[in-house]
């Protein structure tokens, strides 16, 4: 979650007067951190995962699965061990888990108490820790409450009672037709963030997901549950005036997006250069993993024609004005900005020799004055553009008491903007005066229903980073193609039905030759044509360089598992890495169980969570083939997911026979 500070938050009308102040001092703070930490070397690999839970409250008498707003009562218990350890670390053991609130008052975020280390044995600690987190969270709950790792609560914003306790959809922060302000984390940052996005934008956010057209779904679909004629707030008329699109599921509040849960992995690199390299190499993997982890096919009680959360969140925090969205000529604003502040990355970051300027092939919007300031203070072109691109955004929450800071010891102004640029990758400088190193965060994956699945995807990404660094892998493709892949990743059944751009040859002349994986057919072809040593170490003419840089559209099965006569595949690369290091048989067998899940999700022999949920709804006896996920269907869905997550119900079509 983002930066949490204490103080008096300013409304947008006042906060905007200090936007340049925050930006200027934020850059000074970044420069202070960079100059102090740029030469930091030999940090060990540390990494951790973030798992987010939605707390469900059952009303068994009425067959209703609501969301519980009691999370802060639970956090008061869950955080005791960590707080005692922080106060007196000599007399209290380090906690095994760590807990934080999230945007929604119905959400919990759990992480391991300490980061995992660099050994393969550490990977075997992940699933037990995730199971412990689920157990500890459940112990703080009432008998009718359960923590579920689901991306989105299917009936958020529906008519009737979906909250425990119930509140009517009123409140000056959201001004939503569907959800009340009581759904928001009560910390001052969150209601202020919600209201200031609306105020800055000049209207409520407008989220429209295409509805899944089943045999009895009206066409055109005009949602009869929208209170079209409500007249409580000035914004109530927006739905009728075009914000709610026909054939779409309309949502109008930040809670619909920031109330979604995901699985995020953060890595500490050995130095800043390695962090930047990992950022770049993982960026093209983001859309692939979004599609592969797809688990969000239902919104506001309707089946959607998408499988993922990303566009919902992007729209839910889109604070761009009409001018910035290109709907009006620029008069009062500085830039036309082509994306929400929650979206895919817009440029690569590394100065690694494998990077070429042609990969950054979209017109990057950045603040030229900030760019010049960064360059004048020794920041290279790539990093200067990255930071000055983030800083085209305004700070949305400014606390009066924190306006004036010592830029040599604080990073609050920098993090104010950095932490509200929510992209598929995040490059994270070390916090001031800490032992933490340079980090990257992989942010695209959807949370899965079980700890086994979440462990599998976390371990897959960790092992992929090890293979990238060990073998000098090159995943660069034009950033515009990464954007296209993100659009495809949302589509229903994208894993099986879509093809994604991916690099054909991931071995380049810049990679070390001493630690290569066993050759695939693609590298063998290069070797036969040019001689592998020549490809890796010699001069390459322009024609051959273009061939080495080639990319093509592949299925996710081909990207993950490889294809005959073509790309090696990410899992074969990981297996080659595992073959190159000392790993005992027991650890290797355990890791193979996790990798097998990824392999089978990619080849379609196992369903994604989204496909499984969609089929559950469509096969439910109460479903009328009209796209409606009723209260009773949702109740049965939540109960079934609970049984799956607890291991009470075997679902080999989702998890495989080996897991069962």
């Amino acid at each position: 979650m983002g930066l949490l500070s204490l103080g008096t938050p300013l409304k947008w009308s006042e906060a905007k007067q200090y936007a340049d102040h925050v930006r200027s001092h934020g850059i000074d703070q970044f420069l202070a951190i960079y100059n102090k930490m740029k030469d930091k070397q030999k940090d060990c690999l540390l990494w951790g995962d973030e798992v987010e839970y939605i707390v469900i409250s059952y009303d068994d008498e009425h067959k209703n699965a609501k969301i519980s707003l009691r999370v802060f009562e639970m956090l008061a218990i869950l955080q005791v061990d960590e707080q005692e350890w922080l106060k007196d670390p000599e007399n209290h053991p380090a906690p095994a888990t760590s807990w934080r609130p999230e945007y929604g008052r119905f959400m919990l975020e759990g992480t391991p108490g300490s980061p995992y280390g660099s050994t393969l044995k550490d990977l075997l600690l992940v699933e037990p820790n995730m199971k412990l987190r689920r157990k500890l969270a459940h112990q703080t709950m009432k008998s009718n409450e359960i923590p579920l790792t689901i991306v989105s609560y299917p009936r958020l914003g529906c008519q009737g009672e979906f909250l425990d306790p119930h509140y009517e959809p009123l409140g000056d922060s959201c001004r939503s037709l569907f959800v009340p302000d009581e759904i928001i984390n009560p910390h001052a940052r969150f209601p202020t963030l919600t209201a200031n996005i609306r105020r800055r934008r000049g209207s409520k956010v407008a989220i429209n997901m295409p509805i899944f057209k089943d045999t009895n779904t009206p066409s055109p679909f005009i949602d009869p549950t929208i209170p079209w004629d409500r007249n409580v707030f000035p914004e109530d008329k927006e739905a009728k005036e075009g914000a709610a699109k026909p054939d779409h599921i309309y949502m109008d509040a930040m809670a619909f997006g920031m109330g979604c849960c995901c699985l995020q992995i953060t890595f500490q690199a050995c130095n800043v250069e390695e962090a930047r390299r990992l950022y770049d190499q993982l960026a093209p993997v983001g859309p692939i993993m979004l599609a592969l982890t797809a688990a969000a096919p239902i919104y506001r009680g309707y089946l959607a024609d998408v499988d993922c959360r990303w566009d919902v969140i992007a729209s839910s925090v889109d604070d761009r004005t009409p001018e910035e969205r290109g709907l009006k000529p620029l008069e009062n604003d500085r830039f036309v900005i082509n994306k929400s502040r929650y979206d895919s990355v817009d440029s690569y970051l590394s100065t690694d020799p494998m990077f070429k300027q042609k990969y950054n092939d979209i017109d990057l919007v950045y603040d030229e004055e900030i760019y010049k300031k960064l360059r004048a203070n020794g920041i290279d072109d790539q990093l200067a553009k990255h930071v000055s691109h983030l800083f085209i955004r305004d700070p949305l929450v400014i606390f009066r008491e924190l306006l004036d800071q010592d830029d040599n010891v604080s990073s609050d102004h920098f993090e104010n903007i950095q932490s509200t640029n929510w992209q598929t990758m995040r490059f994270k400088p070390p916090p001031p005066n800490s032992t933490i190193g340079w980090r990257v965060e992989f942010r695209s994956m959807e949370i899965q229903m079980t700890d086994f699945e979440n462990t599998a995807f976390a371990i897959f990404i960790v092992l992929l980073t090890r293979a990238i660094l060990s073998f000098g892998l090159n995943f660069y493709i034009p950033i515009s193609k990464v954007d296209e892949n993100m659009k495809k990743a949302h589509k229903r059944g994208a894993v099986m039905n879509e093809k994604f751009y991916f690099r054909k040859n991931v071995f380049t002349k810049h990679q070390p030759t001493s630690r290569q994986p066993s050759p695939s057919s693609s590298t063998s072809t290069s070797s036969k044509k040019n001689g592998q040593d020549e490809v890796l170490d010699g001069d390459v003419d322009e024609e051959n360089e273009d061939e080495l840089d080639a990319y093509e559209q592949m299925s996710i099965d081909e990207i993950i598992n490889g294809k005959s006569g073509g790309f090696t595949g990410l899992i074969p690369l990981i297996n080659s890495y595992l073959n190159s290091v000392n790993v005992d048989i027991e650890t290797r067998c355990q890791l193979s169980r996790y990798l097998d899940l990824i392999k089978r999700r990619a080849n379609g022999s196992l369903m994604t969570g989204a496909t499984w949920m969609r089929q559950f709804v469509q096969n439910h006896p109460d479903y009328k083939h009209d796209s409606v996920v009723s209260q009773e269907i949702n109740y049965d869905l939540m109960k079934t997911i609970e049984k799956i997550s607890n291991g009470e119900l075997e679902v080999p079509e989702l998890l495989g026979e080996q897991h069962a």
Side-chain angles (χ1 to χ4, degrees):
M1 70 179 303
L3 174 72
L4 286 185
S5 300
L6 296 174
T8 308
L10 303 179
K11 288 187 175 182
W12 177 243
S13 58
E14 191 174 0
K16 65 182 179 181
Q17 302 172 36
Y18 299 102
D20 286 336
H21 172 88
V22 171
R23 264 192 293 267
S24 176
H25 285 274
I27 293 301
D28 289 341
Q29 291 172 2
F30 170 76
L31 287 169
I33 293 170
Y34 185 83
N35 289 327
K36 185 177 180 180
M37 306 298 288
K38 64 182 178 181
D39 297 322
K40 187 175 171 64
Q41 296 286 338
K42 296 183 179 179
D43 280 328
C44 60
L45 166 68
L46 297 173
W47 70 277
D49 65 85
E50 295 176 19
V51 170
E52 295 171 345
Y53 305 82
I54 288 177
V55 182
I56 300 295
S57 172
Y58 293 123
D59 177 355
D60 294 325
E61 181 182 353
H62 299 99
K63 288 200 167 184
N64 194 1
K66 308 175 187 180
I67 47 178
S68 172
L69 301 184
R70 290 197 323 105
V71 156
F72 280 82
E73 297 174 40
M74 302 166 195
L75 279 168
I77 301 170
L78 289 167
Q79 292 178 329
V80 166
D81 287 348
E82 184 178 11
Q83 290 168 348
E84 289 181 347
W85 174 69
L86 289 171
K87 289 178 184 176
D88 187 7
E90 292 185 3
N91 295 309
H92 290 89
T97 61
S98 180
W99 298 90
R100 298 291 181 271
E102 256 296 340
Y103 177 87
R105 209 179 294 204
F106 54 91
M107 304 168 72
L108 285 169
E109 178 189 290
T111 67
S114 301
Y116 299 116
S118 58
T119 72
L120 294 176
K121 284 276 190 187
D122 278 279
L123 299 178
L124 303 188
L125 303 175
V126 179
E127 188 173 2
N129 190 272
M130 287 189 184
K131 288 181 176 179
L132 176 63
R133 279 176 254 170
R134 191 183 293 269
K135 178 183 176 181
L136 292 175
H138 196 195
Q139 287 175 350
T140 68
M141 298 178 187
K142 296 179 179 178
S143 59
N144 67 323
E145 293 173 331
I146 190 79
L148 294 184
T149 44
I150 53 174
V151 175
S152 59
Y153 172 69
R155 286 184 56 82
L156 182 64
C158 287
Q159 290 180 336
E161 295 194 4
F162 62 89
L163 297 175
D164 182 15
H166 174 72
Y167 294 92
E168 290 298 315
L170 296 169
D172 196 49
S173 293
C174 285
R175 298 192 174 183
S176 171
L177 297 172
F178 310 111
V179 296
D181 279 5
E182 285 82 1
I183 205 169
I184 305 171
N185 183 325
H187 186 285
R189 166 184 157 89
F190 296 95
T192 305
L193 181 62
T194 304
N196 281 355
I197 285 176
R198 172 174 52 78
R199 292 164 181 152
R200 188 186 188 285
R201 177 184 169 91
S203 64
K204 288 189 297 184
V205 295
I207 310 162
N208 285 279
M209 291 297 108
I211 193 152
F212 171 72
K213 288 291 187 76
D214 211 336
T215 51
N216 295 329
T217 307
S219 190
F221 169 76
I222 306 296
D223 188 352
T225 69
I226 296 175
W228 298 98
D229 297 318
R230 194 181 82 165
N231 189 24
V232 176
F233 298 109
E235 293 87 352
D236 285 354
K237 61 186 179 182
E238 291 173 5
K240 183 182 285 188
E241 291 178 346
K245 298 179 181 178
D247 287 330
H248 285 73
I249 305 162
Y250 170 64
M251 296 163 276
D252 67 346
M254 190 173 170
F256 289 103
M258 286 301 190
C260 291
C261 296
C262 61
L263 172 67
Q264 295 171 183
I265 314 294
T266 298
F267 304 94
Q268 177 177 270
C270 74
N271 54 38
V272 62
E273 289 80 12
E274 184 177 277
R276 293 170 67 172
R277 185 173 169 207
L278 279 176
Y279 179 99
D280 280 15
Q281 298 306 323
L282 289 175
V285 180
I288 311 306
M289 299 311 295
L290 175 62
L292 197 57
T293 58
I298 308 169
Y299 299 97
R300 217 167 53 70
Y302 293 107
L303 283 175
D305 205 31
V306 299
D307 277 357
C308 300
R309 79 197 188 285
W310 195 270
D311 282 351
V312 177
I313 312 182
S315 297
S316 79
V317 294
D318 190 357
D319 69 324
R320 293 175 299 163
T321 67
E323 291 180 19
E324 289 170 330
R325 282 176 276 151
L327 302 177
K328 294 180 179 179
L330 283 177
E331 292 182 8
N332 301 308
D333 295 306
R334 302 185 299 156
F335 309 106
V336 174
I337 305 173
N338 68 341
K339 292 180 184 176
S340 167
R341 61 202 302 152
Y342 194 113
D343 219 306
S344 54
V345 300
D346 283 320
S347 66
Y348 293 114
L349 183 54
S350 179
T351 54
D352 187 281
M354 290 188 293
F355 171 77
K356 298 171 185 174
Q357 282 296 338
K358 66 180 180 180
Y359 301 138
N360 277 339
D361 67 334
I362 63 176
D363 187 16
L364 187 70
V365 180
Y366 59 92
D367 187 307
E368 292 189 7
E369 292 304 312
I370 288 176
Y371 171 80
K372 291 175 183 176
K373 181 176 180 178
L374 291 166
R375 295 289 282 135
N377 283 274
I379 306 298
D380 61 85
D381 175 72
Q382 292 283 93
L383 184 54
K385 283 182 177 174
H386 168 80
V387 175
S388 56
H389 170 63
L390 298 182
F391 273 61
I392 63 175
R393 311 287 181 176
D394 282 333
L396 290 169
V397 181
I398 299 175
F399 291 94
R400 187 183 304 279
E401 293 83 354
L402 296 178
L403 276 170
D404 297 316
Q405 302 174 10
D406 183 342
D407 295 335
N408 290 309
V409 298
S410 174
S411 63
D412 276 12
H413 285 324
F414 172 73
E415 287 296 336
N416 194 328
I417 294 175
Q418 156 97 339
S419 68
T420 54
N421 275 272
W422 299 279
Q423 299 180 329
T424 44
M425 296 295 303
R426 181 174 283 161
F427 173 69
K428 303 175 78 168
N433 303 313
S434 79
T435 58
I436 298 172
W438 295 90
R439 295 153 297 151
V440 290
E441 186 177 30
F442 188 78
R443 299 172 45 82
S444 67
M445 293 190 291
E446 311 233 286
I447 200 73
Q448 306 293 290
M449 288 181 265
T450 68
D451 299 318
F452 172 69
E453 296 166 277
N454 289 316
T455 300
F457 282 107
I459 286 175
F460 173 80
I461 294 298
V462 174
L463 289 175
L464 184 60
T465 65
R466 300 308 94 194
I468 288 169
L469 297 176
S470 181
F471 297 140
L473 300 179
N474 180 353
F475 292 159
Y476 279 119
I477 59 174
I479 204 81
S480 63
K481 299 304 179 188
V482 178
D483 277 358
E484 289 186 43
N485 284 348
M486 281 297 289
K487 292 181 175 65
K488 293 180 180 181
H490 290 86
K491 294 183 178 179
R492 175 167 51 91
V495 171
M496 298 306 300
N497 301 326
E498 299 296 325
K499 293 207 168 184
F500 296 81
Y501 292 102
F502 211 77
R503 190 180 180 93
K504 293 170 68 175
N505 177 28
V506 297
F507 309 115
T508 76
K509 65 177 180 177
H510 301 291
Q511 83 168 55
T513 59
S514 59
R515 298 187 64 188
Q516 286 191 57
S518 53
S520 70
S521 51
S522 60
T523 54
S524 298
T525 302
S526 297
S527 177
K528 289 175 185 174
K529 183 168 184 179
N530 302 314
Q532 187 148 336
D533 289 339
E534 181 184 348
V535 171
L536 295 176
D537 298 317
D539 293 329
V540 181
D541 62 37
E542 187 173 340
E543 182 180 346
N544 286 340
E545 186 169 306
D546 287 342
E547 184 180 331
L548 285 175
D549 282 346
Y551 55 89
E552 65 181 6
Q553 294 192 63
M554 306 180 200
S555 68
I556 285 188
D557 184 21
E558 291 168 338
I559 294 169
I560 297 295
N561 297 317
K563 65 175 182 175
S564 177
F567 177 58
T568 308
L570 299 183
I571 284 184
L573 287 167
I574 288 171
N575 282 328
S576 293
Y577 165 72
L578 292 173
N579 290 338
S580 73
V581 296
N582 290 325
V583 51
D584 62 88
I585 293 175
E586 181 185 354
T587 301
R588 184 66 184 266
C589 288
Q590 283 283 84
L591 296 179
S592 295
R593 290 178 62 243
Y594 299 125
L595 293 176
D596 187 64
L597 177 80
I598 311 300
K599 172 184 176 180
R600 296 187 62 189
R601 286 278 172 91
N603 67 26
S605 60
L606 294 179
M607 296 179 182
T608 64
T611 298
W612 182 88
M613 289 182 199
R614 193 181 298 278
Q615 289 193 9
F616 181 94
V617 171
Q618 291 180 296
N619 293 329
H620 194 282
D622 290 347
Y623 180 62
K624 297 179 173 56
H625 301 279
D626 54 0
S627 310
V628 175
V629 181
S630 68
Q631 175 179 304
E632 293 78 9
I633 295 173
N634 179 63
Y635 174 83
D636 289 342
L637 177 60
M638 296 297 101
K639 284 283 189 179
T640 304
I641 291 174
E642 178 190 352
K643 290 177 181 177
I644 294 170
S645 66
N646 291 339
E648 299 173 34
L649 179 65
E650 294 182 0
V651 277
E653 68 273 22
L654 181 72
L655 302 175
E657 299 80 4
Q658 187 181 21
H659 176 72

